[in-house]
Amino acid sequence: MRSTKTSAKPRVRANRSSLRLHGAIAQDLGVQILSGRYQPGDVLKREIDASVRLKVSRTPYREAVRMLAAKGLVESRPKIGTRVSPRSRWHLLDPDVLSWIFEFGPDDALLASLFELRKIVEPHAAALAATRRQQDDLRTMQRALEDMARHTLQVEAGRIADQEFHSALLRASGNPFLISLTSGVSAAITWTTIFKQRRGALSRDSLPDHARVYAAVAAGDAPAAHAAMARLIDLARGDTPQSQPSRKRAR
């Protein structure tokens, strides 16, 4: 029995190492695609050539490509190879994809589009939450506000609390399709906050804006909840500094 456990440990470590390796390769390729280094229609290097260049076996490279394909960034076809997909197929709200976008810095058009999406989704979710929220939802939102006040958005604990506030709001909407957007919306909020922090633009305290949303939801006032959330997003957009000139839109 002991020998079985001992032999299993190296395999577990090897599996974890492989996961980290193919994740790192996927990140490297993903950033190159999202930053425009590779354009839609471009064919990535062949598997053998890429594995030689990266000094890795073909397996992690192949797994990385599968990961990118699952996120809509590439597609592999026999006799053609791995080709970058049209931008319309990219899963831009995927948390990994969002993190790769903010690694090199999104252009202003993409930033504006991200806030535009939030303004379409979150105020309506807040209005629904005002009429459907349960006590557990309110407790979660209240706890998140307390943690935001305690830690501030300058540190990870405060950003996690911010995530939880918005996630709880989407859950409180009671709409399963809105709830399915939770991971993407949460990632968008986190990365825009980090983006602002990197550029020294995180000085304004957004806690009162969140508190107004909470108060309207707790009071069951749907119009006020909608207005408060729309105002919160407008202020967050106004706090966000310009990134860089918009690049030519990928085809």
Side-chain angles (χ1 to χ4, degrees):
M1 186 69 176
R2 182 179 299 173
S3 62
T4 301
K5 289 182 179 179
T6 302
S7 62
K9 287 181 180 178
R11 288 199 299 271
V12 170
R13 284 196 293 269
N15 288 340
R16 288 176 178 169
S17 177
S18 176
L19 285 173
R20 287 194 295 270
L21 183 57
H22 88 249
I25 295 169
Q27 179 180 8
D28 179 64
L29 292 172
V31 169
Q32 291 188 64
I33 292 169
L34 293 159
S35 65
R37 168 65 179 79
Y38 286 114
Q39 289 289 313
D42 287 351
V43 177
L44 301 185
K45 292 183 180 295
R46 291 189 307 161
E47 184 178 293
I48 297 176
D49 295 338
S51 60
V52 169
R53 180 179 63 85
L54 296 169
K55 298 180 180 179
V56 298
S57 68
R58 294 168 63 181
T59 299
Y61 181 81
R62 191 180 302 128
E63 290 300 318
V65 169
R66 287 175 182 167
M67 183 176 175
L68 295 176
K71 300 176 187 300
L73 297 181
V74 301
E75 51 190 352
S76 298
R77 294 182 181 178
K79 300 181 181 180
I80 295 178
T82 301
R83 189 186 297 273
V84 178
S85 303
R87 187 174 182 174
S88 59
R89 298 182 188 174
W90 297 355
H91 302 173
L92 293 176
L93 271 184
D94 179 282
D96 286 333
V97 173
L98 274 171
S99 73
W100 299 338
I101 288 172
F102 279 91
E103 183 167 319
F104 66 85
D107 62 39
D108 289 331
L110 196 59
L111 267 177
S113 295
L114 189 57
F115 278 101
E116 188 174 65
L117 172 70
R118 287 188 59 193
K119 191 151 183 196
I120 290 170
V121 171
E122 292 185 88
H124 291 287
L128 288 173
T131 61
R132 299 176 179 176
R133 83 286 186 278
Q134 303 295 320
Q135 286 304 310
D136 283 347
D137 300 318
L138 294 177
R139 280 192 288 268
T140 300
M141 294 173 69
Q142 178 66 49
R143 187 164 54 248
L145 287 174
E146 292 168 357
D147 288 344
M148 287 175 66
R150 183 181 303 113
H151 300 292
T152 79
L153 296 180
Q154 299 285 350
V155 299
E156 185 179 10
R159 293 192 291 270
I160 290 173
D162 188 21
Q163 271 190 2
E164 186 53 39
F165 179 89
H166 290 269
S167 297
L169 185 76
L170 288 174
R171 290 194 299 270
S173 74
N175 183 306
F177 295 98
L178 285 175
I179 295 170
S180 72
L181 298 175
T182 298
S183 62
V185 170
S186 295
I189 291 166
T190 295
W191 283 107
T192 50
T193 300
I194 292 172
F195 178 78
K196 286 186 280 189
Q197 185 180 36
R198 287 172 180 168
R199 285 156 176 76
L202 201 58
S203 57
R204 190 181 65 83
D205 182 11
S206 66
L207 185 63
D209 308 326
H210 289 76
R212 280 189 285 272
V213 173
Y214 171 80
V217 170
D221 189 337
H226 186 287
M229 179 55 78
R231 176 66 173 160
L232 184 155
I233 295 169
D234 285 340
L235 290 170
R237 177 66 182 112
D239 292 340
T240 305
Q242 289 190 338
S243 176
Q244 53 195 22
S246 300
R247 294 179 295 275
K248 185 179 180 180
R249 185 168 182 173
R251 60 186 182 273

